[in-house]
Amino acid sequence: MNRWLIPALLAVLLIASLLSLICGTVWLTPGELFAGLADPHPSLAGMVLTEIRLPRLALGILIGAILGLAGAVLQGLLRNPLAEPGLLGVAGGASLGAVIAIYFGFTASFALASPIFALIGAMITAGIAFALARGGGTLSLILAGTAISSIAFAGVYLALNLAPNPYAAYEMTTWLMGSLQDRSWDHVQLAAPFILFGGSVLLFTGRALDAMALGEVQAESLGVDIGRVRLLTLVGTAFGVGAATAVTGAVSFVGLLAPHLVRPLVGYRPAATLVPAGIAGAILVVVADICTRLIHIGPPIQLGVFISLVGAPFFLWLVLHVRGRTA
């Protein structure tokens, strides 16, 4: 791996973070930015920074990092370049949990009801997927995750169909599109411990992923416990991606895009992809969040929608590229 890759990615992330703090409805000059951060007395710039943009930026970095990291681990574990975190059903479970909180009106009495229910939903679906795939191989894990995800989204669509009022339907739809708007330090405090724990667990799979690149049989002959690697991947993805989805809604394609962007730069070694993919994921989310604030063509474009507009063509290119390589 190029030794300058991680410092270069961190530098890009730093620049994107500064832009994220500066731009918005109220633009700040670099002087106002640093004065707002350093001045102990409350000011408009200081309040905009500390109460709105810093928690939004912190969530963007955390969410992008865990999605990129989880995508890299899953692509290494499944040896499938099209794998991404939603494959295990965690995002579907989180979406269903949040929709249930909105449908039954829990959000009206408790502001954090949606993310908490989403987190619970992610844990439950991950547990069910693991129970269904237990004793089977990697294919069983994919099929179980896909089946659970399909059931969860069927529940989401049913709730939308039976929404008690137009406001609830609008709230559910908005949540499903994914956004960092109006997120506070409460959301950061809720999600950060789970994301950091999930990310730490996923990083433990690095060495095993390198061995599994040779094949599961060869990896087992080298002493790799395949079942333990699958369990670590599922637990890390459930905690990390579940918490990320819980506070932002569904944000797709980051886990698919980020590993592919850095993989040619690390020599295609799975373990070397993990950290760069996490940083690349953070850059993608922060830059996409900036774009949603700068592009005005009518109603605000939600984060998940914007990333999908970029990610879907990339996904199509990837499918054609893989088909051409294997033909």
Side-chain angles (χ1 to χ4, degrees):
M1 179 174 64
N2 189 329
R3 62 175 178 167
W4 296 108
L5 177 60
I6 291 178
L9 288 173
L10 289 174
V12 174
L13 178 59
L14 178 62
I15 294 170
S17 300
L18 290 174
L19 286 174
S20 176
L21 295 177
I22 288 172
C23 73
T25 306
V26 178
W27 282 75
L28 302 175
T29 65
E32 290 174 324
L33 171 67
F34 292 110
L37 292 173
D39 190 355
H41 302 291
S43 63
L44 176 61
M47 291 180 66
V48 168
L49 280 173
T50 57
E51 300 300 325
I52 299 175
R53 293 189 186 167
L54 274 175
R56 185 171 182 158
L57 173 63
L59 273 181
I61 292 174
L62 285 170
I63 289 161
I66 192 64
L67 290 176
L69 174 60
V73 171
L74 285 168
Q75 288 175 14
L77 173 70
L78 305 176
R79 288 184 295 154
N80 186 336
L82 305 182
E84 56 102 20
L87 199 63
L88 298 183
V90 174
S95 300
L96 180 59
V99 165
I100 288 174
I102 297 170
Y103 184 89
F104 289 103
F106 292 111
T107 52
S109 54
F110 182 45
L112 294 177
S114 288
I116 291 175
F117 271 69
L119 196 55
I120 295 171
M123 300 300 168
I124 292 175
T125 51
I128 295 174
F130 180 72
L132 291 175
R134 194 172 184 181
T138 301
L139 180 60
S140 298
L141 186 61
I142 296 174
L143 293 175
T146 304
I148 294 301
S149 182
S150 301
I151 294 171
F153 276 111
V156 169
Y157 298 139
L158 178 64
L160 279 170
N161 195 162
L162 303 177
N165 54 66
Y167 176 76
Y170 173 77
E171 194 176 354
M172 283 187 265
T173 305
T174 302
W175 191 90
L176 289 171
M177 287 192 284
S179 176
L180 288 172
Q181 192 174 3
D182 299 328
R183 299 313 190 261
S184 66
W185 288 114
D186 289 338
H187 293 88
V188 178
Q189 292 173 2
L190 176 67
F194 294 98
I195 291 176
L196 293 175
F197 173 73
S200 302
V201 172
L202 290 174
L203 288 174
F204 274 111
T205 62
R207 284 189 174 182
L209 294 180
D210 278 349
M212 291 179 69
L214 304 171
E216 292 190 1
V217 175
Q218 289 81 357
E220 284 182 317
S221 68
L222 293 172
V224 174
D225 186 341
I226 304 294
R228 179 174 174 272
V229 178
R230 288 198 197 103
L231 178 61
L232 287 176
T233 302
L234 194 62
V235 170
T237 304
F239 276 89
V241 178
T245 309
V247 292
T248 59
V251 177
S252 306
F253 291 108
V254 176
L256 178 70
L257 281 167
H260 285 284
L261 292 176
V262 301
R263 189 166 289 124
L265 305 174
V266 299
Y268 295 91
R269 192 163 67 85
T273 308
L274 302 188
V275 174
I279 302 173
I283 294 171
L284 284 174
V285 172
V286 172
V287 171
D289 185 44
I290 294 171
C291 292
T292 61
R293 283 180 262 171
L294 296 181
I295 298 174
H296 300 286
I297 53 175
I301 299 176
Q302 301 296 335
L303 177 67
V305 176
F306 184 84
I307 294 179
S308 296
L309 289 174
V310 177
F314 177 83
F315 185 71
L316 177 61
W317 172 84
L318 187 61
V319 170
L320 296 175
H321 177 71
V322 170
R323 190 187 67 174
R325 198 174 56 184
T326 55

